[in-house]
Amino acid sequence: MTSFVRRLTVGSTIPHVPVHHQKFKPTIEIPAFPLLPHNNQRPLGIALRSRKYWRVEAVGPVGRSEGGDGTKKAGGGPGPGPCSYSLGDRTTEVERRERNRTVEVVVAAGVTVVLGVGNRVLYKLALVPLKHYPFFLAQLATFWYVLVYFSVLYLRYHAGIVTDEMLSMPKAPFLAVGLLEALGAATGMAAGAILSGASIPILSQTFLVWQILLSIIFLGRRYRINQLLGCFLVAIGVIISVASGSSSGHSLKEAGMFWSLLMIVSFLFQAADTVLKEVIFLDAAQRLKGGSIDLFVVNSYGSAFQALFICLLLPFLSKLWGIPFSQLPNYLKDGAACFLNIGGTLSSRCDGAPLLPLLFVIVNMGFNISLLHLLKISSAVVSSLASTFSVPISVYVFTLPLPYLGVASSLPTGFVAGAIILVTGLLIYAWTPSGSTAALPSPSN
């Protein structure tokens, strides 16, 4: 009669236990039929006698390894069972990821601020040689972006970074992005031609207000009191640091309510553009099953549609700049000659070209990419705060002796007070009360 033994374990763990074929001396043998005692003098144990013998042992968790293979750990101590995964480990991992994400957001925000300052300063420098051709500079940047973005997109596609799934994303949101950017540029140019330079920084703070409202409506965001207070202080700080001591209030009255409202509508279009891009990232995360759409897909298609709508609005835009549409080809030709610093007498008025305009285009492109990256890993409001923080820093940079600008400007009377309020607002916004969670979930989550 053949017999074998299987080892069964009971205890606090339920590991995978191998079958042990071994010989043993049963102490109590109980036949299946009838049930009779047998040889009570043997060591204590339980054995069931039938055609097959079963040995049942009570084995504790001591000596189990993490793999449940019946061996002890190297240290000789008891090892955790298979169900002993600690919630503390999980919490530590989540905290580590949160810290890494916070560091990434802070670094990206710092880069955005630096590039934002460079963007504002270089735009002023680029207009030194192209002071008669600002409309040409705007169109150069727009169509140059399309060429560069699609070239980079082509290279990233062949490198395997951009996938077919990313390129197959619906194009309607990108079309809307291009339309909003074109409308924002058109209305901003129209209002900017009438409003004074000192009043525009005041009206530009409505951009942050629009972003908060639109993110609440379309993204379902809920902001803590300290975040709303921080945004308010940032806006107040910018107004004080930039427009203090100027006649901005009087300028707004002289310009009239219509042009001020038109500028506010311009910032509405721009805020809607940034919130829509955040919606695109969130939608892509669902369509790509947790993946993330490449930045250059968004930039390439958005810039292409923007260039398309700019072309359609050229008659209107050229009129805003005081250029009759019939004279636009000659204007663009002269602007190109000044940009390349060629053309005899014309080139004598274009000192600094093409270096300064090219530096502006390159830095502006880097600023747009960093701004979109910050939006992707944080939110539209955080990217707006980083961009806003660059405004007073730019004002201070213009007080330094920069080449081509001649006499440096002086600081506004309330610059220091405004800067203190702005930094205080940023700190209040970033402060997270103990026991609470961030109100701005990341699109990448």
Side-chain angles (χ1 to χ4, degrees):
M1 178 182 299
T2 60
S3 65
F4 62 90
V5 176
R6 294 184 180 179
R7 187 181 183 193
L8 306 177
T9 63
V10 294
S12 59
T13 62
I14 313 175
H16 296 289
V17 181
V19 177
H20 298 274
H21 299 276
Q22 61 180 10
K23 295 181 180 180
F24 66 95
K25 295 180 181 181
T27 58
I28 299 178
E29 296 181 353
I30 305 176
F33 301 101
L35 183 63
L36 296 174
H38 180 71
N39 199 351
N40 293 331
Q41 301 301 320
R42 296 181 182 181
L44 183 61
I46 299 176
L48 301 179
R49 171 178 288 177
S50 62
R51 298 187 62 183
K52 298 180 180 180
Y53 286 88
W54 300 76
R55 181 179 179 182
V56 181
E57 290 182 1
V59 181
V62 178
R64 298 285 178 193
S65 68
E66 291 184 11
D69 57 359
T71 60
K72 292 185 178 181
K73 296 178 65 176
C83 298
S84 62
Y85 182 75
S86 174
L87 291 179
D89 295 338
R90 172 69 174 172
T91 303
T92 302
E93 177 67 16
V94 171
E95 291 177 350
R96 185 182 65 81
R97 291 182 179 179
E98 282 297 317
R99 285 195 300 268
N100 292 340
R101 193 180 77 88
T102 301
V103 171
E104 183 183 5
V105 171
V106 171
V107 171
V111 172
T112 302
V113 170
V114 172
L115 291 175
V117 173
N119 178 63
R120 293 176 182 275
V121 173
L122 286 172
Y123 177 70
K124 188 75 171 180
L125 291 173
L127 288 179
V128 171
L130 295 177
K131 59 184 176 181
H132 299 293
Y133 306 100
F135 184 69
F136 169 81
L137 180 61
Q139 305 318 307
L140 172 67
T142 299
F143 291 94
W144 177 260
Y145 295 159
V146 176
L147 176 63
V148 173
Y149 285 149
F150 272 99
S151 298
V152 175
L153 180 64
Y154 175 81
L155 295 176
R156 292 172 72 86
Y157 175 75
H158 283 277
I161 301 175
V162 175
T163 63
D164 292 328
E165 289 77 11
M166 295 180 187
L167 297 178
S168 63
M169 292 283 295
K171 301 301 183 293
F174 300 120
L175 178 68
V177 165
L179 177 61
L180 288 172
E181 290 180 347
L183 290 176
T187 53
M189 287 180 184
I194 304 298
L195 297 172
S196 67
S199 61
I200 294 177
I202 297 177
L203 297 174
S204 67
Q205 300 315 303
T206 59
F207 177 71
L208 185 57
V209 177
W210 286 126
Q211 278 191 326
I212 293 176
L213 292 177
L214 292 176
S215 63
I216 291 175
I217 296 173
F218 295 103
L219 297 176
R221 293 280 165 79
R222 294 296 179 266
Y223 296 93
R224 299 188 301 268
I225 297 299
N226 67 292
Q227 290 177 317
L228 297 176
L229 176 61
C231 290
F232 174 75
L233 290 178
V234 167
I236 295 298
V238 170
I239 293 173
I240 294 176
S241 62
V242 175
S244 60
S246 66
S247 57
S248 54
H250 181 68
S251 300
L252 287 173
K253 292 180 180 179
E254 284 185 347
M257 185 60 67
F258 173 78
W259 298 107
S260 298
L261 291 176
L262 186 62
M263 181 59 78
I264 293 175
V265 171
S266 171
F267 289 117
L268 170 61
F269 288 137
Q270 297 175 44
D273 165 53
T274 59
V275 173
L276 178 57
K277 288 178 180 177
E278 190 172 353
V279 172
I280 291 175
F281 284 121
L282 292 172
D283 180 64
Q286 296 179 352
R287 292 179 179 271
L288 301 177
K289 299 179 180 179
S292 177
I293 190 171
D294 191 76
L295 292 177
F296 285 92
V297 176
V298 180
N299 273 339
S300 298
Y301 285 106
S303 298
F305 286 118
Q306 180 189 6
L308 173 63
F309 287 111
I310 288 292
C311 289
L312 297 177
L313 293 173
L314 269 180
F316 172 72
L317 295 176
S318 63
K319 185 177 181 180
L320 290 176
W321 286 96
I323 307 166
F325 186 67
S326 60
Q327 300 179 12
L328 183 60
N330 290 331
Y331 171 86
L332 296 177
K333 179 181 176 181
D334 292 341
C338 183
F339 170 75
L340 298 173
N341 208 352
I342 60 176
T345 306
L346 181 63
S347 62
S348 63
R349 299 180 300 172
C350 303
D351 292 337
L355 177 61
L356 294 178
L358 278 178
L359 284 176
F360 162 70
V361 171
I362 293 172
V363 172
N364 182 259
M365 184 179 300
F367 172 66
N368 288 330
I369 293 173
S370 66
L371 200 63
L372 188 61
H373 173 68
L374 181 59
L375 184 150
K376 178 181 178 181
I377 65 175
S378 58
S379 69
V381 173
V382 172
S383 64
S384 174
L385 289 173
S387 178
T388 302
F389 188 62
S390 66
V391 176
I393 300 178
S394 303
V395 172
Y396 174 76
V397 172
F398 284 125
T399 64
L400 304 177
L402 298 175
Y404 297 101
L405 292 183
V407 180
S409 59
S410 58
L411 282 176
T413 55
F415 178 82
V416 175
I420 293 175
I421 295 175
L422 187 150
V423 173
T424 303
L426 289 176
L427 293 176
I428 292 177
Y429 179 89
W431 173 64
T432 302
S434 59
S436 65
T437 57
L440 293 176
S442 169
S444 60
N445 286 350

